[in-house]
Amino acid sequence: MIKIGMLVGDRYEILEKIGTGGMSDVYKAKDHKLNRFVAVKVLKQEFSENRNFVAKFRSEAQAAAGLMHSNIVNVYDVGEENDIYYIVMELVEGITLKKYIEKKSRLSVKEAVSIAIQVSMGIEAAHNNFIIHRDIKPQNIIISKDGKVKVTDFGIAKAATSNTITSNVMGSVHYTSPEQARGGYSDAKSDIYSLGVTLFEMLTGRVPFNGETTVAIAIKHIQDPMPSPRDFVPEIPISVEQIVYKCTQKSPDRRYQKMSEVIEDLKHSLINPDEDFVVIDDGETAGRTRVITNTEGTKPKKKAPRRDSEEEHLRLNNSEKPRPKKSASSKREPVWEEEEEDFDPKMERVTTILAVIAAVLIGCIILFIAGKTLGIVDLDEIKSRFGTEKSEEVEMPDVEGMSLTRAKSMLSDLGLDYEVSYEESSEYEQDIVIGSNIKAGRKVAAGTVVKLTVSAGAEGVSVLDVKGKSLAEATALLEKEGFQVAKTEAASDTVEKGNVVGQSPDAGTKVPRGTTVTLQISSGPDASKVSVPSVMGMTEMDATVTLTELGLNVGSVEEVNYEDPAFSGLVCYQSYSVGDYVDPGTAVDIKISKGPVDLTYGFNANVDSPILEDPAFISGTPVTVILVTAEGQELTRTSTATFPITMNISGIKGSGVGKIVFQYTAVTPPSTTTNPETGETVTIPGAEEPRTVERPVAFTPEA
């Protein structure tokens, strides 16, 4: 079991827990061997006990450890200690792309494409090393504080999918490719599909397919056409829309075939966003009528291969139907063969039966819709009692009269989602649950959305916080609570154009229902300003080119020590944050890393006897005193029987910690015992026992 302060692998000191996931917990640690901070990902107990999974996990993690790329969270080490299986990774300070999207509602086209390029470059590096991620999603993409985009968890997803880990552990089905949803073979093109879904979410703030269960979402990935991101954000350029479409084709053969093609089109779209240059295979090549010879035409027809879905079968049949073509001469040339449509009585009976079944189903659907409209049919009750989805069921708790905070917590603990709406009430105090759309005690599937009705008090309701949201979303939320909405415009360098900069009354203010809330809508940054790009991780030349092309200047250039060795020779600091808007010609200062500081330490102390560690120690006993670094280097060795002794050593290299080792021979005094039956006295002579006692010490950094 991992504990704060423990040393893993004789070098990684666990400092704090910084995250948790379905498969592992993540800790910040210090690598005392290389004197740097790292992230240690530790497998949870249930996976550590699965030997097949552990073996696969280790081999895949070791393969991922061979990847070194600026857009990948690099793996440094893989190890096992006392049944604790861990991976040591690059520590990236930042947030996941998922949280970044939630924070901004949706990203601008330029920012989304730029992030997608960096993600693609990381995935391309992995594919070039024959490593497929299989779980690309915003939760596995990190945006560092300096604006660098990094993909994480390479190798881990493959180990999990190879051992049939359940979907609730293996990330979200919202980003899975159709072939993965079917449980079939997945390759590099599966990562391309997931990248396309991720780009869709960056552009729109939502995933393309949603549903009440993972099975329902997976079926949509297999069958439903991909919605257009322009349906949600009309200003998305056609080239970007087409890139999303090509990435997310149902058939892997119609997607981009490799990441370099994706990167090329993404970069093209940054330069010419409104150009319709993306070429998507429309399926005509696969479904084109085939030219056959007369000899081939006489061969018996083979059974058609099994399709992955009936829908695909019907679609391809329609596209494969040959068309007759008149021959220009009587010579024996290839002709278009037309299949004979022979009358088949058995097929006619099957067709008749299917028609009857279809009619019955249509009738049932009409009756169901009518019953639901009249309130006769309770859809939730039907789902609860007769649902065919094999999802975990929980019992709906009684939340009436409960505080909203407690009700939310209880529902979350049960795996239920919730939506909240307010209404005035003189019977219930503010923020007390009045009721819900699901009766207490009913069994419902985990993930079900419970609609809570909450009291706004007798005097009014609190104004929602809609800052950062789009005008449409903010208006919908406020009007749903009974507010009127007015708007004004204000320039903003930090809030995307069209989103809310401020509001009046302020969020949380309690006002009567129907009050007008005035929203300040961002008109975007001042057109005369320039957005500062990220030059972190670039060479000095690349940084200079990037800044100059945008009309900015390079200010002072300074070489400094930087903790992360991966930045050696590269930009490790810029004086303006990414996305800041500044005047053209502004000078951006940069710093170039010359590698980590080569620290030395000193140790100057009076060392007391080991009596604190060994209360039985006898003063005057000869002791050998050894000073050793954490890396095992012996610094000094002294033999003495008198304490304290003085140690004064400088120029110590390493992690800055070590230990003092005391070695001596302890003598136990003789003892006398009496036999109670005979009265005989027996003397037990004293004995000598070699002992070793250790005392941890910390060295002092030298200037």
Side-chain angles (χ1 to χ4, degrees):
M1 180 178 179
I2 290 289
K3 294 183 179 179
I4 304 301
M6 73 181 295
L7 202 64
V8 177
D10 292 328
R11 63 184 287 188
Y12 306 112
E13 181 186 357
I14 304 298
L15 301 178
E16 61 177 310
K17 189 174 183 179
I18 57 176
T20 187
M23 295 170 53
S24 59
D25 295 316
V26 186
Y27 297 86
K28 181 178 180 180
K30 184 172 184 180
D31 180 355
H32 286 292
K33 189 171 184 179
L34 296 178
N35 193 29
R36 65 181 177 185
F37 292 105
V38 295
V40 177
K41 180 165 287 192
V42 181
L43 273 183
K44 289 185 175 179
Q45 187 66 31
E46 57 264 36
F47 300 110
S48 298
E49 294 171 354
N50 185 330
R51 296 299 171 185
N52 290 333
F53 175 77
V54 167
K56 191 70 178 174
F57 167 80
R58 185 187 290 114
S59 69
E60 293 302 330
Q62 287 171 345
L67 291 175
M68 293 297 291
H69 193 273
S70 59
N71 295 118
I72 291 175
V73 177
N74 297 306
V75 176
Y76 297 144
D77 193 9
V78 182
E80 180 267 331
E81 184 175 292
N82 298 326
D83 289 332
I84 296 173
Y85 297 89
Y86 62 90
I87 302 177
V88 182
M89 311 171 71
E90 174 186 1
L91 179 64
V92 181
E93 301 284 355
I95 62 172
T96 65
L97 177 58
K98 185 71 173 180
K99 289 184 178 178
Y100 187 63
I101 295 172
E102 291 172 351
K103 182 179 179 182
K104 298 191 69 174
S105 295
R106 62 180 176 86
L107 310 187
S108 67
V109 173
K110 186 175 181 180
E111 185 176 25
V113 172
S114 298
I115 290 173
I117 290 172
Q118 294 189 62
V119 173
S120 299
M121 292 171 72
I123 299 173
E124 181 187 33
H127 289 181
N128 290 341
N129 283 272
F130 309 104
I131 294 176
I132 312 302
H133 193 291
R134 290 178 171 82
D135 196 22
I136 294 294
K137 59 183 179 180
Q139 294 91 327
N140 282 338
I141 299 168
I142 299 176
I143 300 178
S144 67
K145 290 181 178 178
D146 55 22
K148 198 72 175 177
V149 179
K150 291 177 177 282
V151 185
T152 189
D153 276 0
F154 275 99
I156 298 175
K158 182 176 180 181
T161 52
S162 300
N163 286 269
T164 61
I165 302 300
T166 56
S167 61
N168 62 335
V169 174
M170 270 307 303
S172 176
V173 72
H174 291 96
Y175 310 92
T176 193
S177 65
E179 59 269 24
Q180 286 174 296
R182 292 189 186 100
Y185 174 78
S186 57
D187 58 10
K189 294 185 282 293
S190 300
D191 284 351
I192 291 175
Y193 183 94
S194 300
L195 174 67
V197 178
T198 299
L199 178 57
F200 184 102
E201 184 174 359
M202 285 193 284
L203 294 166
T204 66
R206 53 162 288 159
V207 291
F209 299 123
N210 227 324
E212 293 186 357
T213 66
T214 56
V215 174
I217 299 170
I219 290 173
K220 289 183 179 180
H221 277 290
I222 296 171
Q223 295 182 349
D224 289 8
M226 178 64 60
S228 168
R230 299 176 78 183
D231 290 343
F232 306 97
V233 184
E235 59 266 28
I236 292 174
I238 186 171
S239 64
V240 178
E241 176 194 46
Q242 292 301 305
I243 290 172
V244 172
Y245 273 150
K246 187 165 183 176
C247 285
T248 56
Q249 290 290 301
K250 302 296 184 190
S251 169
D253 293 336
R254 296 179 190 171
R255 299 175 203 152
Y256 291 99
Q257 297 302 293
K258 51 187 177 180
M259 274 297 170
S260 59
E261 298 174 1
V262 182
I263 295 169
E264 182 181 355
D265 277 4
L266 286 170
K267 288 182 176 179
H268 193 163
S269 72
L270 280 179
I271 301 171
N272 299 303
D274 296 318
E275 181 182 344
D276 188 7
F277 60 84
V278 179
V279 178
I280 302 177
D281 181 7
D282 61 3
E284 290 184 0
T285 302
R288 189 178 296 142
T289 306
R290 187 168 60 88
V291 178
I292 61 174
T293 65
N294 290 339
T295 306
E296 288 177 318
T298 62
K299 291 181 181 179
K301 293 181 175 62
K302 294 182 181 179
K303 277 181 113 178
R306 185 173 110 25
R307 301 291 183 192
D308 286 324
S309 69
E310 186 66 22
E311 179 184 1
E312 181 79 355
H313 175 60
L314 293 174
R315 182 179 55 74
L316 290 179
N317 272 351
N318 288 335
S319 65
E320 289 171 357
K321 273 190 179 180
R323 298 183 180 88
K325 180 179 178 181
K326 295 182 180 179
S327 176
S329 68
S330 60
K331 294 181 181 180
R332 296 189 61 179
E333 297 178 347
V335 297
W336 302 110
E337 285 288 333
E338 178 90 58
E339 288 189 16
E340 271 188 34
E341 296 184 359
D342 295 332
F343 176 74
D344 187 343
K346 291 183 179 179
M347 182 57 68
E348 184 180 26
R349 285 196 296 273
V350 171
T351 304
T352 303
I353 293 171
L354 289 176
V356 173
I357 293 173
V360 172
L361 288 174
I362 292 171
C364 291
I365 292 171
I366 294 172
L367 290 174
F368 174 79
I369 294 173
K372 189 173 183 297
T373 304
L374 297 173
I376 300 172
V377 177
D378 189 337
L379 184 58
D380 290 331
E381 181 70 25
I382 292 174
K383 287 181 179 179
S384 175
R385 293 188 179 182
F386 305 106
T388 58
E389 299 290 320
K390 294 183 179 179
S391 57
E392 181 184 355
E393 288 192 337
V394 295
E395 184 175 309
M396 175 65 191
D398 186 359
V399 295
E400 183 177 349
M402 190 180 293
S403 70
L404 177 59
T405 301
R406 186 182 172 197
K408 285 181 176 180
S409 176
M410 182 176 291
L411 293 173
S412 296
D413 290 343
L414 292 171
L416 299 174
D417 291 332
Y418 50 81
E419 292 180 358
V420 179
S421 62
Y422 288 84
E423 68 177 41
E424 294 180 10
S425 173
S426 58
E427 181 181 354
Y428 293 88
E429 295 182 4
Q430 187 175 357
D431 290 328
I432 298 298
V433 178
I434 299 174
S436 67
N437 67 321
I438 299 177
K439 296 177 182 179
R442 177 184 293 178
K443 294 284 187 178
V444 293
T448 298
V449 178
V450 179
K451 297 180 180 179
L452 300 175
T453 303
V454 180
S455 170
E459 300 177 1
V461 292
S462 296
V463 179
L464 301 177
D465 183 0
V466 293
K467 290 180 182 177
K469 299 185 182 300
S470 67
L471 173 61
E473 184 180 2
T475 301
L477 289 171
L478 291 169
E479 288 181 347
K480 181 180 178 182
E481 300 303 319
F483 295 107
Q484 302 295 318
V485 178
K487 67 173 184 175
T488 60
E489 285 194 351
S492 174
D493 293 342
T494 57
V495 178
E496 186 178 347
K497 182 178 180 181
N499 289 358
V500 179
V501 178
Q503 62 185 82
S504 179
D506 290 334
T509 305
K510 193 173 182 181
V511 296
R513 191 179 298 277
T515 298
T516 298
V517 179
T518 302
L519 303 178
Q520 288 182 319
I521 307 302
S522 170
S523 57
D526 189 333
S528 64
K529 301 284 187 179
V530 178
S531 176
V532 176
S534 171
V535 295
M536 294 291 293
M538 294 185 183
T539 63
E540 181 181 347
M541 179 180 293
D542 288 344
T544 301
V545 170
T546 299
L547 294 171
T548 303
E549 286 181 342
L550 293 173
L552 302 174
N553 295 327
V554 176
S556 64
V557 179
E558 180 184 358
E559 286 193 348
V560 296
N561 292 111
Y562 191 68
E563 184 179 59
D564 190 343
F567 277 81
S568 295
L570 305 176
V571 177
C572 61
Y573 166 85
Q574 61 185 77
S575 57
Y576 287 92
S577 298
V578 177
D580 283 354
Y581 284 87
V582 297
D583 294 324
T586 297
V588 180
D589 300 334
I590 60 175
K591 294 180 181 179
I592 308 298
S593 171
K594 55 183 181 181
V597 178
D598 188 12
L599 286 177
T600 60
Y601 300 86
F603 184 70
N604 186 356
N606 291 325
V607 179
D608 291 323
S609 71
I611 194 168
L612 293 175
E613 292 81 11
D614 181 10
F617 176 80
I618 300 174
S619 297
T621 301
V623 182
T624 299
V625 184
I626 310 167
L627 180 62
V628 185
T629 67
E631 290 74 27
Q633 179 188 2
E634 183 176 317
L635 301 174
T636 183
R637 178 186 291 257
T638 305
S639 295
T640 183
T642 305
F643 289 93
I645 63 172
T646 300
M647 288 187 176
N648 189 358
I649 303 172
S650 61
I652 303 171
K653 294 184 178 181
S655 60
V657 294
K659 61 186 176 181
I660 298 174
V661 180
F662 300 91
Q663 296 176 344
Y664 54 94
T665 300
V667 179
T668 58
S671 60
T672 302
T673 60
T674 302
N675 189 322
E677 296 180 358
T678 64
E680 181 182 359
T681 299
V682 179
T683 301
I684 301 174
E688 293 184 349
E689 176 187 338
R691 292 187 185 177
T692 299
V693 172
E694 296 182 355
R695 179 182 302 166
V697 293
F699 305 139
T700 304
E702 294 176 328

